[in-house]
Amino acid sequence: MRLVSLAAALYVTDGNRAGTCRLALGGVAHKPWRATRAEDVLRGAPAIEDSFRAAAEAELAESRPPARQCLQGSPWRANVMVRMLLDLVEEQS
């Protein structure tokens, strides 16, 4: 079993765009991983699933999990981020 966490703060503007965003992943490295690439991709983007998935994929594109985990290319890493961001948007609507 693999435990992954995401700390996320997302402000959605009146125009349904991502404004201020802070993301950090836990359980994917030896310390919390600040997702600055994803934050940059999200800033100003529509607050929709496609934007969230693009941000997650941009962040994780160069990640290299340890070989023993056999999780390279697994969607779980991006799915955690996408699901949390969708929940945050729903809470703000």
Side-chain angles (χ1 to χ4, degrees), residues 4 13 22-23 27 30 35-36 43-44 50 77 82 85 89:
V4 178
T13 67
R22 300 285 184 265
L23 304 168
H30 65 282
T36 56
R43 205 167 292 112
D50 289 344
R77 300 172 302 159
V82 171
L85 292 168
V89 170

Side-chain angles (χ1 to χ4, degrees), residues 8-76:
L10 174 66
Y11 171 73
V12 179
T13 67
D14 290 338
N16 201 37
R17 298 219 171 244
T20 304
C21 180
R22 300 285 184 265
L23 304 168
L25 292 159
V28 297
H30 65 282
K31 63 180 185 176
W33 175 347
R34 178 75 184 268
T36 56
R37 286 185 187 134
E39 293 171 0
D40 291 343
V41 169
L42 280 179
R43 205 167 292 112
I48 59 173
E49 184 172 353
D50 289 344
S51 299
F52 301 152
R53 188 154 309 279
E57 289 172 0
E59 182 64 41
L60 300 170
E62 296 181 29
S63 68
R64 300 289 178 257
R68 72 183 190 291
Q69 292 178 356
C70 301
L71 293 171
Q72 186 69 27
S74 294
W76 66 267

